[in-house]
């Protein structure tokens, strides 16, 4: 029995990195019953951070009995690499983390925007985090909205601890190392993230915010943009993107192949009392330059 106990502890230490989260279903599938989970919690081999949610405590805590703060990155990386519910960091958050929002507060983003093709586990909303996780259906905006399987497989083996892979990343995504172990955090590329943000205009994002962000996007890839704009389901987003790009006269716009980018028919009223742009048939604010 002692040897079997040690084998199970060793397996957990190898397959559940310090600080990351798993739920009771994950532990149950790997042979850790409810009584065994309770025993591990009592002995300090697991921490229970919410009902049916566990994490391995750090071996190098700052002081005895002090818990390592649970951060949103722990949650997202756990979803991406361990729990078969992958969500990519996208929209405003991806742009902020890649340095395109220079007005970001020192405290960091207050909302984390995540995009995926599955419903997040119910326990995610019960975690005590200092930021709010906002989930979006990636399939609503792109024909193939899911995080590519090959990217998940490249990032999934975090047992090596240092996995800042140099393998090519599928169009529309990047991999950013995070934390002491440089775990791979999957997020939208700037080209994909700005389209995700424009999908929120004007309900959750203002024209002014989108305009400031678009002004700073001077080095986008025309090839990657073409692929994403062809796959984009939203006529509004495509028209808005091209309107903003022409407004700021970005150099990359000259290299953008517009073949296959369908802009639909008819007018789109995006702001009441605005002016109609006759080229893209969208209403935009009268005083955007004010």
């Amino acid at each position: 029995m002692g040897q079997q106990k040690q084998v199970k502890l060793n397996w957990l230490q190898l397959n559940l990195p310090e600080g990351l989260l798993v739920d009771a279903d994950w532990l149950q599938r790997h042979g850790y019953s409810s009584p065994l989970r309770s025993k591990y919690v009592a002995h300090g081999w697991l921490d229970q951070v919410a009902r049916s949610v566990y994490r391995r405590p750090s071996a190098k805590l700052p002081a005895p009995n002090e818990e390592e703060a649970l951060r949103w990155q722990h949650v997202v990386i756990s979803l991406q690499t361990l729990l078969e519910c992958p969500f990519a960091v996208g929209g405003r958050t991806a742009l902020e983390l890649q340095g395109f929002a220079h007005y970001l507060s020192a405290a960091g983003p207050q909302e984390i925007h995540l995009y995926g093709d599955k419903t997040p586990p119910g326990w995610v909303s019960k975690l005590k985090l200092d930021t709010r996780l906002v989930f979006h259906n990636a399939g609503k905006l792109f024909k193939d909205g899911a995080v590519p399987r090959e990217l998940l497989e490249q990032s999934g083996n975090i047992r090596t601890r240092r996995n800042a892979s140099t393998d090519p990343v599928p169009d529309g995504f990047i991999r950013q190392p995070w934390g002491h172990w440089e775990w791979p955090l999957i997020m939208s590329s700037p080209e994909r993230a700005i389209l995700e943000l424009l999908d929120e205009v004007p309900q959750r994002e203002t024209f002014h915010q989108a305009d400031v962000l678009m002004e700073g996007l001077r080095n986008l890839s025309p090839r990657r943009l073409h692929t994403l704009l062809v796959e984009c389901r939203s006529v509004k987003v495509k028209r808005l993107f091209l309107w903003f790009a022409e407004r700021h006269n970005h150099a990359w716009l000259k290299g953008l192949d517009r073949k296959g980018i369908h802009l639909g028919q008819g007018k789109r009223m995006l702001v009441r009392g605005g002016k109609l742009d006759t080229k893209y048939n969208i209403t935009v604010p009268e005083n955007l330059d004010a």
Side-chain angles (χ1 to χ4, degrees):
M1 290 293 292
Q3 183 177 2
Q4 183 181 11
K5 169 185 169 182
Q6 191 60 46
V7 168
K8 295 192 77 66
L9 276 174
N10 289 343
W11 189 94
L12 196 64
Q13 290 172 354
L14 180 64
N15 291 276
L16 178 55
E18 297 171 1
L20 296 192
L21 304 173
V22 291
D23 55 21
D25 289 341
W26 187 92
L27 288 166
Q28 188 75 35
R29 289 199 307 271
H30 291 95
Y32 298 85
S33 63
S34 179
L36 191 56
R37 297 195 295 270
S38 298
K39 180 179 178 179
Y40 279 23
V41 171
H43 283 79
W45 299 324
L46 282 176
D47 287 334
Q48 186 167 2
V49 297
R51 182 181 176 85
S52 300
V53 185
Y54 304 84
R55 71 190 300 214
R56 246 190 77 213
S58 173
K60 298 179 180 179
L61 295 175
N65 301 320
E66 184 174 346
E67 291 186 5
E68 180 187 11
L70 181 62
R71 302 178 64 180
W72 68 263
Q73 291 93 336
H74 292 119
V75 180
V76 175
I77 292 171
S78 298
L79 290 172
Q80 291 177 344
T81 59
L82 295 173
L83 292 171
E84 299 179 2
C85 192
F87 282 85
V89 180
R92 168 179 289 278
T93 311
L95 292 170
E96 289 170 341
L97 294 178
Q98 294 172 71
F100 294 105
H102 301 296
Y103 48 84
L104 180 63
S105 70
Q110 300 305 304
E111 288 185 339
I112 306 301
H113 293 272
L114 303 171
Y115 289 77
D117 64 344
K118 292 185 178 182
T119 302
W123 51 260
V124 171
S125 62
K126 301 175 184 178
L127 299 174
K128 295 180 179 179
L129 300 170
D130 57 2
T131 52
R132 189 169 75 93
L133 302 182
V134 181
F135 292 92
H136 303 265
N137 178 4
K140 171 178 172 287
L141 187 58
F142 295 103
K143 296 175 183 177
D144 187 7
V147 179
R149 180 172 296 276
E150 60 267 33
L151 181 54
L152 295 173
E153 291 173 351
Q154 292 167 11
S155 301
N157 185 14
I158 56 176
R159 293 177 297 176
T160 57
R161 297 300 193 263
R162 292 196 177 272
N163 192 34
S165 176
T166 58
D167 292 338
V169 176
D171 278 348
F173 295 94
I174 69 165
R175 199 169 27 224
Q176 189 179 88
W178 178 80
H180 175 71
W181 298 113
E182 296 186 345
W183 289 323
L185 183 64
I186 299 171
M187 66 181 67
S188 296
S189 67
E191 293 85 359
R192 185 182 180 101
I194 189 61
L195 297 180
E196 291 166 340
L197 181 135
L198 290 176
D199 190 39
E200 301 296 314
V201 174
Q203 288 78 18
R204 291 179 56 90
E205 298 284 353
T206 68
F207 268 88
H208 175 70
Q209 290 167 330
D211 189 51
V212 171
L213 286 167
M214 276 294 297
E215 184 179 13
L217 296 175
R218 299 185 179 92
N219 296 305
L220 299 187
S221 163
R223 180 188 58 79
R224 188 177 296 126
L225 280 171
H226 176 261
T227 299
L228 290 167
L229 288 168
V230 169
E231 292 180 354
C232 183
R233 296 178 184 272
S234 172
V235 166
K236 179 199 84 170
V237 167
K238 290 183 284 190
R239 292 185 188 181
L240 261 181
F241 176 81
L242 293 171
W243 182 82
F244 274 119
E246 292 183 2
R247 168 178 163 80
H248 293 291
N249 195 27
H250 284 306
W252 46 257
L253 187 59
K254 298 176 183 177
L256 178 61
D257 179 10
R258 303 199 184 194
K259 183 179 180 180
I261 302 174
H262 300 297
L263 299 179
Q265 302 292 326
K267 299 176 182 179
R268 298 293 191 277
M269 187 179 72
L270 304 183
V271 56
R272 291 187 179 279
K275 62 181 179 180
L276 177 67
D277 178 84
T278 55
K279 180 175 182 178
Y280 291 111
N281 271 333
I282 53 175
T283 54
V284 295
E286 286 272 8
N287 59 346
L288 194 56
D289 292 314

